[in-house]
Amino acid sequence: MTDGGTSEERSTLRRWLDSDIVQSSPFWLPPFLLMGFFVYAAIGWNLLLSLTEYSGFGDPDYSNLGLHNYRAMLDDPGMWAATRNTFVLLVGFTLVCLVVGLLLALLLDREIRFSRSFRTIYLLPFALSFIVTAQFWRWMYNVNNGIVNQFIGLFGLGPYRWLGSPKLVLGAVIFALVWQFSGYTMIIYLAALRSIPNDQYEAARVDGASTLRMYWRVIVPQLRPATVSASVVLVLFALKAFDFLYATFDGYRPRRGADILATKMVRESFGRAEWAYGSSIALMLFVLSLAVIAPYLYNQYKRGNL
Amino acid sequence: MSEQSVTTEQATSTDHETGGISIGQIGLYATLAGLVGFYLIPIESGLVTSIKTSAGLDNTMPFLPPTTGSWITFEKWQVAFDFLAPGMVNSMLFTIPSTILCAILGSMAAYGLTLVDWRGQIAVLSLFIAGIFVPYQAVIVPLFQFWSQYMQLGTRLSFLWGLPLLEPHYATILELIITHTAYGIPIVTLLFRSQYKTMSEEMIEAARLDGASIWRVYQRIVLPLSIPMFAVVFIFQFTQIWNEFLFSLTIIGSTNDPAASATLILSGLGQSLEGTDYPLRMAGAFITALPTLLVYVLFADKFAEGVQT
């Protein structure tokens, strides 16, 4: 629809103005600039801060940049503990959530009365915030009155200080988070299970395969894409477990054994005003999540899902 | 589940039903009921705890309701509500505008990025999508510095605070609106894009050939078709922003701040040197969760569809 220009130059300009990138930019450029400033510029700024020695007085000194914060990390025993706990939380929470969610989905993926109500109830904790669920689980884990201790007391066990003991606390946190998020995994798996054609179940049944064998050989392998996408989201939630820990322990100072990079980062920055050190931990966290996400995004791109 | 698959599944299982209820069926329903207990007991025991006096708390199991009238009190709800009411108003004041802004900007971005077909498109899109996965910790220090040292909306907008209905702490609310909008854009863009990709290209092409401008196609074709997705995005973002805590903690800073959000106030509620006032905290938890629970109960199915995409 061009041909308005007389000179070569004019028509180039005209073609440029008519190009899709320019025509569509009013739609994507404003959101891009807003997000780009707050997300990517902020990360860049964070990187810069992590190279300074800024600890809360005046302005950061950007003229003297160095890697000392990253070196300090290597000598910080709290850093190793937090990294270890972060990995245990990420891996433990994600795996248990996947397994529980898959089992829930397999249970519900039959003709069952009230299956919609069951689904709604199992997903209910997902609608609550970390701060709210933390209140419930503090109470569940309470040493004297907590249901968890009363329940295991029936079997002559406990009581344990679930949230007070360095050995138990991380497991207790993971358990509570699985309660909150396994319903989400279930929803993802249910969607995937329902997209598997019915005749595949039939064929397996006609072959005389046992139910268990059928699921293991025929159904579960087809759930790989669902597993990948659910894992990615679960890792994200695990990275946000800060909120839960904050509300459980009344501040960014969790009991020994439950400190993760996210809590340590906020404590160093906002608690001890070690802004530069906090920023370097933040960058570690960012790299960690990037390491999880980048392969996923690349994979999605290659499959044409982006 | 589609109608078709329901009927086929029923057809295959009629032989089970004619033989009465099998042991397997009983086991299945027992498991499902047990799981209902697992998912509801923490919430249920929170609810009954919130109406117990300290005598009721001492004398009944945590998940059982108080047995005598003198062990029941609604006072904690009253106290929690008095603490939380300003926070609920503040949370509404930033949650609703950011949700709406996110939805509009995300839908526009998704449209713009689905329509374009140039080399850099995938790069721009990747930046949008990768934005979903940025841990908030990676940005809060710069964000805190930006709002508290460089932008200082409270001072810049000080000329406004003399006007009726405007209060100084709205500056903080405005900061939260902008921040939540910026961080909501990536996920909302992805949600809309997943829908726009499935739209018929011929229809849009035809409209373009008829001379409709890009804006017109958006207004007349794309927007009406994306109303269901707008509903999903509203539910999702409303819950996300209402429940968010870290931005409140860092941008607002203190529970006593007049701009304090509901989650921020809840995080410090009923906490004293003697210990935690559990009934008060539980009442607070329910009051804080009420708007999202309401949205969830009213739109549970839409919500389930939304997270599936």
Side-chain angles (χ1 to χ4, degrees):
Chain A
M1 53 202 278
T2 49
D3 237 15
T6 42
S7 72
E8 191 84 343
E9 210 175 304
R10 175 118 181 262
S11 77
T12 320
L13 179 70
R14 190 63 213 254
R15 216 177 307 138
W16 187 72
L17 285 176
D18 276 344
S19 69
D20 269 344
I21 173 171
V22 175
Q23 289 277 303
S24 65
S25 59
F27 289 95
W28 58 263
L29 201 56
F32 182 70
L33 291 178
L34 181 64
M35 177 210 58
F37 179 75
F38 279 97
V39 179
Y40 292 106
I43 292 173
W45 191 357
N46 185 84
L47 170 66
L48 209 57
L49 273 170
S50 76
L51 300 173
T52 68
E53 292 177 17
Y54 187 50
S55 58
F57 296 104
D59 280 327
D61 175 14
Y62 294 114
S63 63
N64 187 17
L65 301 179
L67 291 171
H68 47 271
N69 285 314
Y70 295 93
R71 247 176 264 126
M73 264 188 210
L74 297 174
D75 298 330
D76 181 351
M79 193 64 204
W80 289 109
T83 309
R84 188 193 70 102
N85 291 341
T86 305
F87 272 104
V88 173
L89 184 70
L90 280 181
V91 176
F93 162 75
T94 307
L95 285 183
V96 179
C97 253
L98 288 175
V99 172
V100 173
L102 176 61
L103 291 176
L104 291 176
L106 290 176
L107 282 176
L108 284 183
D109 187 42
R110 306 146 167 250
E111 33 75 54
I112 279 179
R113 282 158 195 272
F114 317 116
S115 101
R116 194 174 272 244
S117 313
F118 285 124
R119 189 188 73 183
T120 305
I121 289 169
Y122 301 160
L123 185 63
L124 187 62
F126 183 69
L128 304 171
S129 73
F130 279 113
I131 306 297
V132 167
T133 58
Q135 308 310 327
F136 295 149
W137 282 92
R138 276 174 68 135
W139 187 223
M140 295 288 287
Y141 285 133
N142 187 285
V143 182
N144 306 315
N145 294 316
I147 297 170
V148 176
N149 277 331
Q150 297 203 349
F151 180 73
I152 62 169
L154 296 175
F155 305 97
L157 298 169
Y160 295 111
R161 298 182 65 84
W162 294 102
L163 297 175
S165 142
K167 283 207 174 85
L168 297 173
V169 61
L170 199 56
V173 167
I174 291 175
F175 190 81
L177 293 178
V178 167
W179 171 82
Q180 190 174 358
F181 291 105
S182 46
Y184 174 78
T185 327
M186 169 197 72
I187 287 284
I188 301 288
Y189 276 130
L190 266 178
L193 283 171
R194 280 166 191 183
S195 69
I196 297 174
N198 263 316
D199 52 348
Q200 295 209 6
Y201 292 88
E202 294 309 310
R205 218 166 276 165
V206 168
D207 285 351
S210 72
T211 315
L212 206 67
R213 237 181 112 78
M214 173 194 79
Y215 275 118
W216 191 246
R217 288 287 179 82
V218 182
I219 307 303
V220 173
Q222 297 192 47
L223 297 176
R224 207 172 151 260
T227 305
V228 171
S229 80
S231 313
V232 169
V233 177
L234 290 173
V235 166
L236 276 180
F237 285 126
L239 287 170
K240 285 186 185 174
F242 168 85
D243 296 6
F244 186 87
L245 291 168
Y246 186 97
T248 303
F249 300 104
D250 284 330
Y252 32 62
R253 210 172 293 276
R255 292 300 145 67
R256 208 156 56 83
D259 199 20
I260 58 173
L261 288 173
T263 43
K264 186 169 169 65
M265 185 273 151
V266 180
R267 184 170 65 248
E268 295 289 348
S269 311
F270 292 86
R272 301 180 54 216
E274 293 289 350
W275 297 103
Y277 192 46
S279 301
S280 64
I281 300 172
L283 207 80
M284 281 270 299
L285 252 177
F286 175 63
V287 172
L288 192 73
S289 67
L290 207 64
V292 176
I293 296 313
Y296 168 77
L297 284 181
Y298 184 69
N299 188 286
Q300 293 284 314
Y301 169 62
K302 291 214 91 173
R303 286 159 179 260
N305 288 349
L306 273 195
Chain B
M1 192 193 294
S2 69
E3 287 293 323
Q4 215 171 5
S5 68
V6 174
T7 43
T8 29
E9 277 180 41
Q10 273 170 352
T12 58
S13 61
T14 33
D15 47 346
H16 278 291
E17 277 171 20
T18 46
I21 304 163
S22 69
I23 296 197
Q25 289 270 301
I26 295 173
L28 176 64
Y29 280 97
T31 312
L32 290 172
L35 284 164
V36 167
F38 174 66
Y39 284 99
L40 284 188
I41 277 180
I43 301 173
E44 184 266 349
S45 63
L47 193 61
V48 292
T49 299
S50 73
I51 56 165
K52 283 179 188 175
T53 62
S54 49
L57 207 57
D58 290 340
N59 291 312
T60 47
M61 303 278 273
F63 53 94
L64 292 179
T67 43
T68 77
S70 63
W71 293 348
I72 298 175
T73 173
F74 291 96
E75 187 206 328
K76 300 292 182 183
W77 279 76
Q78 182 70 53
V79 176
F81 185 77
D82 288 343
F83 270 110
L84 285 165
M88 301 284 280
V89 173
N90 289 333
S91 283
M92 280 293 172
L93 283 177
F94 66 75
T95 303
I96 294 173
S98 344
T99 303
I100 295 172
L101 281 170
C102 274
I104 294 172
L105 290 170
S107 137
M108 285 173 51
Y111 173 67
L113 290 170
T114 313
L115 181 89
V116 287
D117 206 13
W118 43 287
R119 277 193 156 278
Q121 181 202 11
I122 206 78
V124 174
L125 192 66
S126 300
L127 284 174
F128 269 93
I129 292 170
I132 301 170
F133 304 103
V134 170
Y136 287 177
Q137 266 80 5
V139 293
I140 43 170
V141 172
L143 208 59
F144 174 73
Q145 288 228 316
F146 176 73
W147 288 128
S148 69
Q149 284 188 5
Y150 295 93
M151 201 29 114
Q152 295 185 323
L153 279 184
T155 322
R156 276 168 201 255
L157 300 176
S158 55
F159 63 94
L160 287 174
W161 311 137
L163 298 174
L165 296 174
L166 288 179
E167 293 183 42
H169 74 265
Y170 287 178
T172 315
I173 302 277
L174 186 59
E175 293 174 1
L176 284 166
I177 292 176
I178 296 171
T179 310
H180 280 301
T181 305
Y183 283 91
I185 285 172
I187 179 73
V188 175
T189 303
L190 183 68
L191 284 171
F192 275 113
R193 176 167 160 94
S194 68
Q195 193 209 357
Y196 292 173
K197 266 179 71 180
T198 64
M199 274 185 191
S200 131
E201 274 177 37
E202 296 94 59
M203 191 167 55
I204 292 175
E205 282 296 311
R208 290 299 303 280
L209 285 176
D210 284 349
S213 70
I214 292 184
W215 278 100
R216 240 181 129 69
V217 171
Y218 181 63
Q219 276 178 356
R220 290 293 169 87
I221 300 176
V222 177
L223 269 189
L225 285 174
S226 44
I227 284 170
M229 190 46 97
F230 265 100
V232 169
V233 163
F234 272 115
I235 297 160
F236 190 77
Q237 275 309 97
F238 182 89
T239 316
Q240 292 292 307
I241 298 174
W242 182 275
N243 287 345
E244 208 285 323
F245 178 69
L246 190 57
F247 286 156
S248 291
L249 180 68
T250 49
I251 293 177
I252 302 165
S254 151
T255 352
N256 301 321
D257 195 284
S261 69
T263 42
L264 187 59
I265 296 176
L266 174 65
S267 76
L269 191 69
Q271 174 190 326
S272 67
L273 287 177
E274 298 97 69
T276 310
D277 186 341
Y278 281 103
L280 182 63
R281 279 216 158 181
M282 294 306 164
F286 279 99
I287 293 170
T288 314
L290 217 55
T292 51
L293 280 179
L294 213 62
V295 165
Y296 175 77
V297 169
L298 290 177
F299 306 103
D301 289 334
K302 282 235 178 303
F303 189 76
E305 285 162 27
V307 293
Q308 278 173 22
T309 48

